[in-house]
Amino acid sequence: LLGGGLARCGGCGRPMYAASTVGRPTVYACSTRSSDCPSIVSVQAELLEADVVERVLARLSSPKYRKALTKSINELGSREEGESRVVELNARFTALGEDFADGLIDRESMRAGTVRVRVNIAATELKMAQREVLIDLPEPSGEDIVKWWEEADKRRRRDVVSIVVDHLTVKPTDRRGRDGLDPHRVDYVWKTQ
């Protein structure tokens, strides 16, 4: 559920990946070698994923959140308009390179422009992905969202999590045992506030 580096180590900030050992529960563990991470964070995958699902579904069930998400997506226009915007932004990369090569702008201006174009492309692509998910979701009632989640396949669930959660950071802990996940151990950064 948390592929692509959505879960990050609270010790070093690097991605956490699912790891399993025969006879033990699957965990999300820091991808860093022990000498490079002061904490080597790990957490039971089942507990972390349950927390993620609960928070994501609560967010998607919130009429306020859904209204903000819908407004953001509607500003983009149709899917075709979004795709056209990405093509336009990619053309700007080419123009920046040509302007730099022709001496019309300096290196600093080219770098600043490149960063802005990349940010705009990422924001447009995120809104396009959010649109695809939103179209599929039921109205924001807790029961309908939960039912939709239970019927969705694993890929669709991952898509939903990836368009709602920017990343989450799992902090180190000294606590051991099967008491569940300490909710203060995980910090969430959401893509749309």
Side-chain angles (χ1 to χ4, degrees), residues 21-36:
T21 306
V22 177
R24 301 190 78 182
T26 300
V27 298
Y28 281 100
C30 178
S31 61
T32 308
R33 294 182 195 182
S34 58
S35 60
D36 294 332

Side-chain angles (χ1 to χ4, degrees), residues 114-191:
T114 299
V115 167
R116 288 182 65 185
V117 169
R118 285 184 177 148
V119 165
N120 287 331
I121 288 173
T124 302
E125 289 175 341
L126 172 62
K127 286 180 182 178
M128 289 167 62
Q130 288 171 330
R131 172 193 301 286
E132 294 303 312
V133 171
L134 189 64
I135 287 169
D136 190 35
L137 287 175
E139 288 302 310
S141 85
E143 289 178 18
D144 291 341
I145 293 288
V146 170
K147 183 178 181 212
W148 177 89
W149 181 268
E150 290 171 350
E151 293 173 356
D153 62 26
K154 190 181 285 189
R155 181 176 179 269
R156 196 68 174 142
R157 290 177 183 183
R158 264 194 230 116
D159 289 346
V160 169
V161 170
S162 70
I163 65 113
V164 176
V165 178
D166 182 72
H167 68 276
L168 54 98
T169 302
V170 182
K171 299 176 204 167
T173 185
D174 293 331
R175 221 177 71 167
R176 298 283 181 241
R178 299 181 183 268
D179 298 336
L181 181 67
D182 176 359
H184 301 292
R185 205 178 156 204
V186 184
D187 288 334
Y188 285 81
V189 176
W190 304 99
K191 283 190 176 170

Side-chain angles (χ1 to χ4, degrees), residues 45-61:
E46 183 179 353
L47 297 176
L48 182 59
E49 289 189 4
D51 189 64
V52 170
V53 169
E54 182 179 331
R55 293 185 192 216
V56 166
L57 295 183
R59 199 159 182 82
L60 290 173
S61 298

